[in-house]
Amino acid sequence: MKINWDYFEKIKPILRKLCRKVEGDFVVFGSAPLYLFGALKFEGLGNMHDLDILLDGHVKNSAIEKTVYFENDKNQKLYKLSIDGVNIDVGTLWPGHEEWFEKVFENSQEINGYKFASLETVLEWKKRNIKKYDRKKDKEAIARIKKFLPTYGTG
C-alpha cells in the first residue's frame, strides 16, 4: 500500500491534538484518505477544505465550536472544531446508520496508530451521497477514486 508520508506527517500533529479533544476511537474519513493513499495530490494544508472524522465516542464540550447538520438533516449532527487552522468535522453514529458505522471501523486501515477509511469505503459513502443528495463534490471524488483504484496497491 502506498502512503503519502508528506501528507501524513502534516496531519499527524492535528490528529494528536484531536485525541485530546475527543473521547473514544475515531476514523479519518472524507477526502483525507484520498490524499493519504495518493488519489488526490496534496498541495499543503491550506488547500484542504476540512478534515472529516467519524467518532465512536464523543467530543468534549470545551472543544466544540459549533454544531451543524449534514445536508440539513437533524439526525446527522456534525461537531465543528478547528486545530492549527484546519477545520475538523466530527460525526458520531447517526440513527439508521449503524451498519455503515460498523463497516467504516471494520474496514479502516491503521497508519502509525491512526485509523483511516479505505478508499473502497469512501467510494461507497460518496455513491450513497450522490443517490441521496446529488452532491457535485462527491461526483468529483468518485471519478478520482475510480480512476485511481485499478492501480491502487500495485506498486
Side-chain angles (χ1 to χ4, degrees):
M1 166 178 20
K2 293 180 183 178
I3 304 293
N4 181 335
W5 290 106
D6 180 49
Y7 174 75
F8 180 78
E9 290 301 321
K10 294 282 196 267
I11 67 165
K12 187 167 73 171
I14 295 165
L15 297 176
R16 190 177 305 123
K17 290 175 183 177
L18 178 65
C19 288
R20 295 191 293 263
K21 295 180 179 282
V22 300
E23 292 181 0
D25 194 15
F26 65 85
V27 175
V28 183
F29 198 62
S31 60
L34 279 73
Y35 291 112
L36 181 71
F37 299 122
L40 282 177
K41 183 178 179 185
F42 177 62
E43 297 176 344
L45 292 176
N47 292 325
M48 284 181 22
H49 178 259
D50 61 16
L51 197 58
D52 296 313
I53 304 296
L54 187 59
L55 174 65
D56 187 9
H58 68 275
V59 180
K60 295 177 183 174
N61 286 338
S62 61
I64 300 171
E65 294 179 14
K66 69 179 180 177
T67 302
V68 299
Y69 300 100
F70 183 73
E71 295 296 326
N72 297 315
D73 184 332
K74 298 285 184 195
N75 289 315
Q76 298 181 167
K77 189 182 292 188
L78 293 172
Y79 302 97
K80 297 277 194 178
L81 320 174
S82 181
I83 299 174
D84 296 342
V86 174
N87 294 323
I88 315 279
D89 288 351
V90 181
T92 57
L93 177 59
W94 294 337
H97 288 83
E98 293 82 5
E99 183 180 318
W100 174 252
F101 189 83
E102 296 279 330
K103 186 176 193 169
V104 172
F105 278 87
E106 287 173 5
N107 295 324
S108 66
Q109 299 176 16
E110 191 169 320
I111 312 291
N112 287 0
Y114 297 103
K115 294 178 182 175
F116 291 84
S118 70
L119 287 179
E120 293 84 359
T121 302
V122 174
L123 178 62
E124 186 177 332
W125 174 252
K126 299 286 186 187
K127 286 179 178 180
R128 288 171 175 232
N129 284 341
I130 293 297
K131 268 182 146 171
K132 193 165 183 177
Y133 306 111
D134 197 33
R135 291 170 20 125
K136 180 183 177 197
K137 75 179 198 172
D138 287 331
K139 289 179 183 177
E140 293 167 2
I142 286 171
R144 289 198 179 268
I145 295 169
K146 282 184 173 180
K147 182 178 177 183
F148 184 75
L149 274 179
T151 61
Y152 181 65
T154 60

